[in-house]
Amino acid sequence: MWQQRVHIAAADRRRDDEGRPFAELLVEVDVPANRSWRPFQLAFVCLNLPSLTDPGHPERTRPGLVDLLFFPTGGGKTEAYLGLTAYTFAIRRLQGTVDDYDGMNGVAVLMRYTLRLLTADQFKRAAALVCACETIRRQEAAAGNHRLGQTPFRIGLWVGQSVTPNRTQAAQYHLDAARGLGGRRGRGSSPVQLAACPWCGLELEAGRDARTDVERWRTLVFCSDPYGGCDFTAAKAPGEGLPVVTVDEEIYRLLPSLLISTADKFAQLPWKGAVGMLFGRVSGRCERHGFRSPDLDADKSHPEANSHPAKNGLPAAKTVPWGPIRPPDLIIQDELHLIAGPLGSMAGLYETAVDRLASWTYKGESVRPKVIASTATVRRAREQAYALFWRDLAVFPPPVLDVENSFFALQRSVSDAAPGRRYRGICAPGVRIKAVEIRVFTTLLAAAKALHNKYGVLADPYMTLVGYFNALRELGGMRRLIDDDVKARLRKMKRRGLGDRRLFEVHELTSRMSSDRIPEVLSQLRVRHETAPPAKGTRYPIDVLLATNMISVGVDVGRLGLMATVGQPKATAEYIQATSRVGRERHAPGIVFTLYNWARPRDLSHYERFEHYHTTFYRQVEALSVTPFAPRALDRGLTALLAALVRQDSLRWNANPRAHDVPIPDKELDALIAEVATRAGEVTSSTDIANDVRAALQHRLDRWAGEQRIAGRTVGYRGDGGAVYGLLQNAGNGAWDVWTVPNSLRETEPSINLIMTSSDDAGAADPAFSFGTTLVGAGGAPKPTTDEDLTPEEADAVIAAAAAEGDA
Ligand SMILES: [Zn+2]
Ligand SMILES: [Zn+2]
């Protein structure tokens, strides 16, 4: 962690201070303040050491324990996780093979987030830790000490196809595009997810620093340090480069020690047999290409042989039997409060499969990974954790008598030294919200400029205006207004005694962005508004950042001080999280302007209770509910759970066409069903629900057997458009039936359009009001408007629609 901390600090400094030798910066930042633990971090790490050291620890058997880290954002939770990650890496390898489970390989730590923005930002810090671990392993190995093993420590980013490529060929395609070959645009999924080398801070360019090794099926990223000082250049780490794996197939074959994923990605469990490899279910290991599984082998487009002759300088290679590999020892669930509502219920169902796959037998007892989580709210967290993880919960730091002083955290009152954040509410009855937005944005921008003219860089925190929007449509509308009205009005503000300002850099942080742009915007956000104009060739500071709920997690830019929130966000937790993005540091006290739409009763009510609400808003945070075994959740996710368990628990039925050979009925399957039913019963404290779940699973198995009996076809989990009939159906526009399986945990929240028709309408034979409903998967096009539900393409469409509306 010491190495990780000073390398991150030196890398950050290198960006501002280009030209100075890295080694010099490294010495300069290596001071206690940059590499010390906070007491809560140390305590949390110590608290978890016993359960990470002893697989049979009571916190890992049943009922087990989730340790919940309840600490304000920006307090350093990530470092606490990473400390535990490093420990887990080492202890697994030092223990080696335990009860026939190989601990030298495999995923040791699974870190899950809910949104991809957070993933990209924290990925950098985690990558630096893995670089540090790998450097230590290599140093030990060079000294002849192999206790940390031969397999490099690696970090994997397992997210969505829209962010990272699925296959090495897809990575090649992207890299070619980045080099400008073939006239293809380099948009979309990129194998290079880091803007800079995590170890030395040198910028990475996909076209220059990444390449695919076609023979070894690897995508490699090398640090381009021209002086060779970095440990991850092509010269110092030949054939490996940065220990970062982002291509799905390479993740399955290499099994990186730390795997960062979104909660959503586990929707692949029933669809992709190779996912089971992440839990140690491998059939063998090719000396050239890595681990194998029946499903990977069944992929005819990418055949794997049992031996390869020497070629292009590579030695001959063969496949050796391997396995089982020890499943992950630690699961980290960040921002637990986001896993609630319909998403949380689905996550709870899939977690049933994850838990089973991550269980193994140690000294004759079934043991599970340790789960740690962090949250911004602890209301009903115990119930939530039990429903999700089927484990008890302990909150850290433990609640004590004095809420203002928990020993680890001290609540300070607002003072000059701790300025905090000021909230201002704006409501203009009778005026359209758009007109209010234009005036408020213009005034804030011009007023900041006036301050900047007077005080120079001291006014920098207010020179970047962050606009927060509850929906993409509203953001899209504002974007147009800024380009048009706001820019025009700004030129007249001097007459009112404010600054004369031109806007150069207006950016967005939304799901409509291509994911390789996100790190760029985050790094540009750190550029300060200096008194002198930016030098040629350097980046301009951002004037306006328009964001949706993507900003509420993980954006940690200390210089931001000014925010305008348009409309009251749906949830109080979201409001707190979003507005906490400004005023994070002492030199930049935050000020938040919340604009209320008088035409919306909810906004108006918030405006009327403004002071009370804001002085008590931590108490106003809504309780969360997670109900994985509720009937509607079962409708949507139970088939997926069954298929995931059958396919992944045993290698025998892992390959796609093996769905045809699953013996029904079967003792092993009965045991799986019994386990799910027990969990359902305990989570809901209802034997009726346990019985319902058992019956529903049995019903699905019976129908599965029915499908197998239909002559003349082979049943696979997924159809191949040819001889293999797909048991599982994609959630398309048709109605859901028992075999519909979602591709994402978010496909469950239907968007409903209510069309109200007045009886005055000509020719209306309907009653006074009729309701037209549109459901995802029930015909008609869904129209989601919150950010997290959308792919970039859908988001583009929504914004285009909003812009067209503006034209009209
Ligand atoms: Zn480097
Ligand atoms: Zn091979």
Side-chain angles (χ1 to χ4, degrees):
M1 283 302 292
W2 164 38
Q3 290 293 313
Q4 187 258 5
R5 297 282 298 275
V6 297
H7 274 264
I8 287 272
D12 280 348
R13 191 162 293 189
R14 184 177 215 172
R15 219 170 310 148
D16 308 333
D17 219 346
E18 264 174 69
R20 287 185 56 198
F22 188 67
E24 204 175 284
L25 293 172
L26 211 49
V27 173
E28 196 173 292
V29 298
D30 195 356
V31 292
N34 282 338
R35 51 169 157 80
S36 298
W37 292 99
R38 293 195 169 133
F40 93 89
Q41 295 168 330
L42 266 190
F44 191 71
V45 168
C46 291
L47 190 70
N48 283 290
L49 294 186
S51 56
L52 292 175
T53 310
D54 174 15
H57 193 277
E59 290 175 6
R60 295 177 60 170
T61 52
R62 293 252 315 275
L65 189 75
V66 178
D67 267 304
L68 184 66
L69 189 50
F70 177 50
F71 224 74
T73 38
K77 282 183 292 193
T78 307
E79 277 66 34
Y81 299 157
L82 293 180
L84 287 171
T85 300
Y87 181 82
T88 310
F89 275 20
I91 194 74
R92 238 175 102 103
R93 296 218 174 169
L94 292 177
Q95 288 173 350
T97 297
V98 173
D99 277 19
D100 291 339
Y101 287 89
D102 170 21
M104 292 308 221
N105 290 287
V107 177
V109 181
L110 198 56
M111 209 185 261
R112 288 186 299 198
Y113 295 102
T114 45
L115 295 168
R116 74 196 161 117
L117 172 67
L118 182 76
T119 315
D121 197 42
Q122 302 209 327
F123 186 51
K124 182 182 83 177
R125 282 142 89 184
L129 174 81
V130 175
C131 287
C133 294
E134 174 58 8
T135 314
I136 294 170
R137 188 197 67 83
R138 276 203 241 151
Q139 281 162 0
E140 291 222 338
N145 184 344
H146 293 288
R147 61 189 181 149
L148 290 177
Q150 312 283 348
T151 309
F153 287 117
R154 297 186 181 103
I155 178 172
L157 187 64
W158 193 56
V159 281
Q161 203 181 344
S162 62
V163 183
T164 54
N166 267 338
R167 302 280 292 264
T168 310
Q169 288 100 312
Q172 174 75 52
Y173 182 89
H174 181 93
L175 295 177
D176 285 351
R179 277 185 210 106
L181 299 175
R184 293 174 294 217
R185 289 196 304 147
R187 189 173 182 268
S189 58
S190 162
V192 183
Q193 289 291 318
L194 292 159
C197 169
W199 197 235
C200 74
L202 213 65
E203 279 190 28
L204 292 173
E205 275 173 37
R208 182 192 63 195
D209 300 325
R211 61 168 180 262
T212 51
D213 183 336
V214 190
E215 289 301 332
R216 290 169 58 225
W217 304 350
R218 287 289 306 273
T219 306
L220 304 168
V221 181
F222 295 99
C223 176
S224 63
D225 184 357
Y227 307 110
C230 183
D231 290 313
F232 299 96
T233 58
K236 287 203 176 175
E240 182 67 31
L242 284 163
V244 174
V245 192
T246 56
V247 179
D248 281 7
E249 192 182 326
E250 297 176 27
I251 287 174
Y252 305 136
R253 290 187 182 274
L254 299 172
L255 301 178
S257 305
L258 170 60
L259 187 68
I260 296 195
S261 80
T262 53
D264 246 4
K265 190 74 180 178
F266 287 88
Q268 297 302 316
L269 272 166
W271 291 109
K272 279 222 170 71
V275 179
M277 299 172 77
L278 304 176
F279 301 93
R281 278 140 170 95
V282 300
S283 57
R285 182 171 170 272
C286 168
E287 292 161 343
R288 185 177 296 171
H289 298 121
F291 293 104
R292 297 175 61 175
S293 83
D295 195 47
L296 277 186
D297 286 348
D299 184 352
K300 291 192 193 80
S301 69
H302 203 184
E304 167 74 302
N306 286 329
S307 64
H308 311 287
K311 190 177 176 187
N312 297 349
L314 293 170
K318 61 181 187 308
T319 290
V320 289
W322 208 283
I325 294 175
R326 179 166 161 175
D329 286 273
L330 175 63
I331 292 183
I332 300 169
Q333 178 63 59
D334 199 53
E335 311 274 353
L336 182 66
H337 54 276
L338 297 178
I339 313 276
L343 170 71
S345 300
M346 285 298 275
L349 267 180
Y350 279 81
E351 195 62 26
T352 307
V354 168
D355 218 19
R356 162 83 199 182
L357 296 176
S359 301
W360 51 294
T361 310
Y362 173 73
K363 292 187 180 163
E365 197 177 8
S366 174
V367 298
R368 311 193 277 175
K370 179 65 197 279
V371 176
I372 64 175
S374 76
T375 188
T377 164
V378 286
R379 288 189 67 183
R380 285 180 57 86
R382 187 170 305 280
E383 290 82 351
Q384 188 198 5
Y386 196 66
L388 265 177
F389 298 113
W390 196 22
R391 284 165 171 85
D392 290 336
L393 179 102
V395 176
F396 181 89
V400 284
L401 290 175
D402 184 356
V403 289
E404 291 182 356
N405 184 353
S406 72
F407 178 75
F408 294 107
L410 194 65
Q411 192 175 318
R412 280 179 305 185
S413 44
V414 174
S415 66
D416 282 351
R421 213 165 17 252
R422 171 160 287 164
Y423 288 83
R424 284 283 176 261
I426 297 174
C427 184
V431 181
R432 284 178 64 226
I433 187 78
K434 287 249 177 330
V436 181
E437 283 173 50
I438 293 170
R439 283 162 178 82
V440 171
F441 273 64
T442 311
T443 311
L444 294 179
L445 286 164
K449 180 65 180 167
L451 286 176
H452 193 255
N453 289 342
K454 198 167 167 192
Y455 299 106
V457 77
L458 281 178
D460 169 64
Y462 311 100
M463 285 296 281
T464 298
L465 171 59
V466 181
Y468 176 89
F469 296 83
N470 291 298
L472 273 171
R473 293 168 59 83
E474 291 165 10
L475 184 148
M478 190 61 208
R479 177 89 208 225
R480 288 181 52 82
L481 295 176
I482 285 182
D483 289 342
D484 196 354
D485 296 57
V486 173
K487 280 187 177 169
R489 280 166 183 268
L490 271 176
R491 288 197 281 277
K492 299 176 198 153
M493 295 307 273
K494 205 173 177 183
R495 275 186 255 154
R496 300 195 178 187
L498 296 177
D500 185 10
R501 185 165 185 184
R502 279 158 194 255
L503 301 182
F504 296 102
E505 300 285 325
V506 178
H507 289 275
E508 286 177 25
L509 209 52
T510 63
S511 64
R512 74 187 293 216
M513 297 166 66
S514 106
S515 53
D516 40 353
R517 278 278 297 140
I518 293 174
E520 284 172 36
V521 171
L522 286 177
S523 115
Q524 198 180 350
L525 261 184
R526 294 197 165 81
V527 180
R528 295 197 300 176
H529 285 261
E530 305 286 350
T531 322
K536 230 183 173 172
T538 60
R539 271 183 303 193
Y540 274 67
I542 291 183
D543 294 302
V544 182
L545 180 77
L546 302 173
T548 55
N549 56 5
M550 264 191 92
I551 200 178
S552 348
V553 272
V555 175
D556 193 359
V557 180
R559 56 169 286 273
L560 297 178
L562 179 62
M563 179 179 258
T565 308
V566 180
Q568 178 68 32
K570 264 191 286 182
T572 301
E574 165 67 16
Y575 185 54
I576 296 175
Q577 291 278 315
T579 55
S580 310
R581 299 304 121 192
V582 299
R584 293 172 84 80
E585 279 176 18
R586 194 174 297 179
H587 70 83
I591 181 159
V592 177
F593 293 86
T594 305
L595 279 56
Y596 296 99
N597 188 347
W598 65 278
R600 287 187 188 157
R602 193 167 160 276
D603 271 19
L604 211 52
S605 148
H606 269 278
Y607 181 64
E608 284 162 359
R609 297 185 299 122
F610 188 84
E611 191 176 349
H612 177 257
Y613 177 75
H614 282 81
T615 46
T616 60
F617 66 8
Y618 280 98
R619 249 185 285 155
Q620 312 263 357
V621 170
E622 297 80 3
L624 308 165
S625 84
V626 171
T627 52
F629 297 99
R632 293 290 80 75
L634 293 176
D635 286 351
R636 298 272 149 158
L638 193 64
T639 302
L641 170 59
L642 176 71
L645 285 171
V646 171
R647 184 170 196 180
Q648 308 288 3
D649 194 48
S650 154
L651 287 176
R652 274 175 295 164
W653 307 317
N654 183 258
N656 191 39
R658 293 282 84 75
H660 196 81
D661 314 323
V662 175
I664 301 169
D666 175 73
K667 273 213 182 77
E668 259 177 61
L669 296 182
D670 290 345
L672 282 178
I673 288 183
E675 191 176 314
V676 177
T678 307
R679 183 173 178 133
E682 288 196 10
V683 160
T684 55
S685 338
S686 156
T687 42
D688 287 352
I689 291 179
N691 291 333
D692 290 350
V693 167
R694 184 179 295 111
L697 286 168
Q698 198 57 57
H699 169 72
R700 281 163 171 79
L701 275 184
D702 291 345
R703 292 206 30 192
W704 191 329
E707 300 287 347
Q708 289 170 340
R709 282 194 294 270
I710 295 174
R713 70 179 191 195
T714 303
V715 177
Y717 296 97
R718 182 197 284 274
D720 68 353
V724 176
Y725 167 80
L727 183 68
L728 310 179
Q729 301 296 322
N730 268 310
N733 280 333
W736 277 64
D737 79 1
V738 73
W739 294 118
T740 310
V741 167
N743 260 307
S744 145
L745 302 191
R746 296 181 199 281
E747 272 174 37
T748 55
E749 193 167 11
S751 119
I752 300 177
N753 296 332
L754 296 178
I755 302 161
M756 302 208 174
T757 323
S758 147
S759 59
D760 295 341
D761 282 358
D766 305 335
F769 295 100
S770 69
F771 295 93
T773 61
T774 314
L775 288 156
V776 174
K783 247 179 135 185
T785 53
T786 56
D787 205 18
E788 47 193 304
D789 300 340
L790 302 182
T791 64
E793 291 71 29
E794 288 165 343
D796 277 341
V798 171
I799 302 235
E805 214 166 73
D807 283 338

